[in-house]
Amino acid sequence: MRRRATRVGARLAIVLACGAAAVVPSLPYAQAPAQAVPTPAATPGPADRAAPRTDQNSLTAHAQLLEKARAGRIDVYFVGDSITRRWGATDYPELLANWRQNFFGWNAGNFGWGADRTQHILWRLDNGELDGVNPKVIVIQAGTNNIGAQPGGADKIAEISRGLAAILERCRQKAPKATVILTAIFPRNDNIAVMPEIDQVNANLARLADGRGIRYLNVNDKLADRDGRLRAGMMNERDQLHPTLQGYQVWADGLKPILTELLGPPASTDLAPPPTGDPSAQRK
């Protein structure tokens, strides 16, 4: 398995060395003033190095996810940040109902956590959240918190690409028989000036896919127009970052044909562990 993971890293190195981080042309995105969005309190180091979240709420959530990883049966393992988390969380009941509507019978487990960057996801994977799970499919949706609300240039694009490749490698190491679905970073309009960077990271992600054990899914053309401006109703109007019910359904519609190909149609029963939620919301 280490040889396969090394190939992923080597493929990304070739992509970056050949300038793939710059192959997507700059699009005519208009500058927009940045808006405040929740981010981790401190920059946690390079995007491809594991780093823990140290706030108590995140540590409690990690403990709950460790319990979830050892409960029930998980054939489809979702990992990511708040965009992933909200879909299958008890504190977003409308989104949880949509999750169940789309994935019941495929034994899907949600292992997203809010505000995580690639570093934090790597730490969670290194600290037991995928150990012994042996899913058949892993869905990765991560990187938007590394993108943030301000452009950063070619070095930032390359670093985020390495961080996402590291998550892919870790998933392949922990679950070598699983097919991994790399989901493109979703468009965000809290500052549309970051859209070219999202496009360029996504171009690098696409080059990591081999069409077999590593798939690439990009539904962004259904979430935003060709200029990167969000289509009506797809993202939360307040933050212009998190999908609405309609936006999540677009993601589901992209995933379900792949899941059907890999797993067959959903069963009439579901053995996935119960959903979790934000510990701080549960205390209210």
Side-chain angles (χ1 to χ4, degrees):
M1 191 60 250
R2 182 172 297 174
R3 186 179 302 124
R4 180 182 297 169
T6 301
R7 285 202 297 268
V8 172
R11 191 180 305 134
L12 178 67
I14 293 170
V15 166
L16 296 177
C18 293
V23 296
V24 178
S26 295
L27 300 177
Y29 299 112
Q31 294 287 336
Q35 300 178 14
V37 293
T39 57
T43 302
D48 59 350
R49 303 285 181 86
R53 297 277 295 280
T54 57
D55 62 285
Q56 185 56 55
N57 200 45
S58 294
L59 293 174
T60 301
H62 171 59
Q64 292 178 346
L65 292 175
L66 286 175
E67 291 181 7
K68 179 190 276 191
R70 287 149 181 76
R73 171 176 167 180
I74 301 170
D75 289 330
V76 185
Y77 183 102
F78 284 74
V79 65
D81 48 42
S82 59
I83 290 174
T84 297
R85 188 195 85 80
R86 291 185 180 192
W87 204 1
T90 55
D91 43 309
Y92 288 87
E94 185 181 38
L95 299 181
L96 178 59
N98 179 264
W99 166 275
R100 287 171 168 155
Q101 176 185 337
N102 283 293
F103 303 120
F104 183 92
W106 275 319
N107 305 319
N110 190 307
F111 287 78
W113 180 239
D116 264 11
R117 301 186 186 191
T118 55
Q119 298 95 319
H120 306 125
I121 295 169
L122 285 168
W123 185 89
R124 292 195 289 114
L125 292 171
D126 283 347
N127 284 271
E129 290 188 18
L130 186 52
D131 290 359
V133 177
N134 300 315
K136 297 176 181 177
V137 180
I138 298 174
V139 180
I140 299 172
Q141 166 57 261
T144 197
N145 290 319
N146 297 76
I147 291 284
Q150 295 297 328
D155 288 346
K156 176 183 173 185
I157 292 164
E159 181 184 352
I160 296 170
S161 299
R162 287 193 295 270
L164 290 166
I167 293 173
L168 171 61
E169 289 189 7
R170 207 72 97 251
C171 288
R172 299 288 273 171
Q173 290 165 356
K174 298 276 186 177
K177 295 182 180 179
T179 298
V180 179
I181 303 174
L182 290 169
T183 309
I185 298 174
F186 290 158
R188 54 187 292 171
N189 281 182
D190 51 339
N191 182 1
I192 203 167
V194 303
M195 281 302 305
E197 293 187 355
I198 290 175
D199 290 342
Q200 291 164 18
V201 173
N202 286 341
N204 290 340
L205 276 184
R207 288 168 173 79
L208 296 179
D210 59 14
R212 300 181 302 277
I214 306 171
R215 309 289 185 94
Y216 175 67
L217 175 64
N218 189 336
V219 297
N220 288 6
D221 62 337
K222 296 178 176 62
L223 299 173
D225 64 23
R226 62 183 300 173
D227 294 326
R229 297 195 176 277
L230 294 171
R231 299 188 188 279
M234 290 298 173
M235 296 291 176
N236 183 305
E237 290 185 2
R238 180 181 57 80
D239 63 27
Q240 301 184 73
L241 168 65
H242 291 93
T244 61
L245 194 63
Q246 187 177 353
Y248 277 113
Q249 189 58 52
V250 166
W251 189 10
D253 290 343
L255 286 168
K256 286 163 72 175
I258 304 174
L259 297 180
T260 300
E261 174 195 342
L262 297 172
L263 303 175
S268 58
T269 58
D270 194 278
L271 303 175
T276 52
D278 184 342
S280 65
Q282 296 168 7
R283 292 193 293 269
K284 293 179 181 177

